[in-house]
Amino acid sequence: MKARRQSLVVRGGQEDVAGNPEGGILENVPPTVVAPVPGPPDFNGASAIVARLPNIGFAPSMLTEKGFETRGSFTVRKSRAGESFYLRVYGKLNHNMRCTLRGYRNLAGDFTGNTIYTGFKKIYTGKSQVQTGHVPRGIVGEFDIMTCRDLNNGEVQYFRIRYD
């Protein structure tokens, strides 16, 4: 059996003919459209979603200063790995837990005093302990808040990681 060859030469400068040669299978390929990133949009200089932050104060946290912090029944340890870091969260023995890491940014200039959500969000679940894996380091003025919830008794604690 002889194989049939088709030429994909552009005829008359029409690209649609090259993509769909005569006698070939017609393909209606839609144009590539990049969808917006899911979640709240990042700050574009005009509008943004103002963050609702937990009341954990503005002083530097032990997690930022010393690399570990304990609140309630949760202990969080931060370890560096090059330009990234990872967090290990320890809770009560045999308790299911869910930790959510969210990114925030303090605005400057005309917007000083406002904090917005950057769109960064990762959820980690586990039993007794959770490890995040590598988290890229933020820029100056950004910080993350790790919200840890014990799914067995409902306890919730917040931990702040700053990049200054």
Side-chain angles (χ1 to χ4, degrees):
M1 187 186 285
K2 188 175 176 183
R4 183 175 158 218
R5 293 187 144 174
Q6 290 184 345
S7 172
L8 294 179
V9 176
V10 176
R11 295 183 202 134
Q14 296 178 353
E15 293 180 6
D16 60 337
V17 175
N20 297 303
E22 291 178 21
I25 299 170
L26 181 63
E27 294 183 44
N28 292 323
V29 180
T32 302
V33 177
V34 178
V37 178
D42 198 2
F43 184 60
N44 63 7
S47 63
I49 296 175
V50 176
R52 295 181 304 156
L53 300 172
N55 187 14
I56 56 176
F58 293 101
S61 69
M62 291 294 291
L63 188 56
T64 301
E65 296 293 315
K66 304 283 186 187
F68 69 93
E69 185 172 3
T70 299
R71 290 178 180 249
S73 64
F74 293 101
T75 298
V76 178
R77 293 192 173 273
K78 181 171 93 171
S79 301
R80 289 212 177 262
E83 291 297 315
S84 301
F85 67 91
Y86 62 93
L87 299 169
R88 287 173 286 174
V89 182
Y90 302 96
K92 286 186 175 179
L93 187 62
N94 292 325
H95 278 226
N96 293 316
M97 53 196 284
R98 182 179 66 229
C99 296
T100 305
L101 187 63
R102 291 181 188 262
Y104 298 91
R105 180 180 305 140
N106 290 321
L107 299 179
D110 293 340
F111 304 100
T112 299
N114 291 312
T115 302
I116 61 167
Y117 176 60
T118 64
F120 177 80
K121 176 182 174 184
K122 292 208 178 219
I123 298 173
Y124 306 93
T125 58
K127 191 168 198 161
S128 302
Q129 64 179 339
V130 169
Q131 183 167 323
T132 63
H134 291 286
V135 177
R137 180 177 161 77
I139 61 173
V140 173
E142 287 188 347
F143 62 96
D144 291 340
I145 292 183
M146 172 74 86
T147 304
C148 296
R149 180 181 303 273
D150 186 319
L151 300 176
N152 291 44
N153 64 17
E155 177 187 2
V156 178
Q157 297 294 337
Y158 302 96
F159 300 88
R160 182 180 58 239
I161 306 106
R162 278 205 188 277
Y163 306 106
D164 291 332

